[in-house]
Amino acid sequence: LEEYLQRHQLQDLLHRMANDVARAMPSNPIDFMIDSLLKTASASGEEPALMTRLKDVRATLAQDQAAALALQTKAERLEKENAKLQYRIEILNKTLDDMDKAGGASGAAAPVGKLPVDACDVPLGHSAFSWAGGVSLAAPVAGADGSASCADSGALSQEPFSGRVRVS
């Protein structure tokens, strides 16, 4: 024990520290002694394990802070996107309400008129219904010889587009 105390000069260190505490009479003597030990360790060129641990904690905190900032930025972006989508939903609901009031989704007849395309000229990948914007085109008119003609097929049928769909 004596050899260990002399090899590490612990008795001198503890006496000096006790004298420094008695002289300074700090309000928190333990903090004062810890500071004294850290100063002694750094003066000897050694980095105490406490300082190494503090550096690790500081690096971890910096990483956590960067991750939290990224999450906060993402949350703000999502909130803005959500607000835009809520606005779009409100507009779509208003449009559907206006259509309901006008009889568009209530089973009332669609306005009869002539479409710019006829039922025979529907592009590949579309049905006549989808190409006409959700309104069924009248079937081609059969001629005197029994063959179907597309000449008068642009008339709109009296069929509703669809029932109302509500998004909640």
Side-chain angles (χ1 to χ4, degrees):
L1 181 66
E2 288 291 324
E3 178 189 338
Y4 180 81
L5 292 174
Q6 287 177 351
R7 185 171 12 129
H8 294 288
Q9 302 173 356
L10 290 177
Q11 285 180 331
D12 292 337
L13 176 65
L14 291 173
H15 284 347
R16 254 183 293 134
M17 195 167 35
N19 287 337
D20 289 345
V21 168
R23 213 175 302 121
M25 291 188 189
S27 61
N28 191 339
I30 293 175
D31 284 347
F32 186 87
M33 289 187 286
I34 290 171
D35 288 344
S36 176
L37 288 171
L38 289 173
K39 286 177 189 174
T40 302
S42 66
S44 68
E46 297 176 23
E47 184 173 53
L50 176 63
M51 295 306 288
T52 304
R53 179 69 182 132
L54 285 174
K55 287 180 183 178
D56 290 344
V57 168
R58 188 174 288 154
T60 301
L61 286 174
Q63 290 173 350
D64 289 349
Q65 184 178 17
L69 183 61
L71 288 173
Q72 183 180 12
T73 302
K74 183 178 179 180
E76 289 170 357
R77 182 180 53 79
L78 289 173
E79 285 176 7
K80 287 179 183 177
E81 183 178 345
N82 189 32
K84 288 178 184 177
L85 291 173
Q86 288 293 334
Y87 176 76
R88 290 181 72 187
I89 288 170
E90 288 176 24
I91 295 300
L92 289 171
N93 281 332
K94 183 181 181 314
T95 302
L96 288 171
D97 288 341
D98 291 347
M99 288 174 61
D100 282 346
K101 289 176 187 172
S106 64
V112 177
K114 189 89 168 153
L115 290 178
V117 297
D118 61 34
C120 294
D121 294 330
V122 175
L124 186 64
H126 283 279
S127 68
F129 184 77
S130 70
W131 185 246
V135 178
S136 293
L137 295 173
V141 177
D145 59 356
S147 64
S149 166
C150 289
D152 295 328
S153 64
L156 299 177
S157 67
Q158 296 190 2
E159 183 177 313
F161 173 67
S162 67
R164 181 175 178 146
V165 177
R166 199 171 259 292
V167 179
S168 3

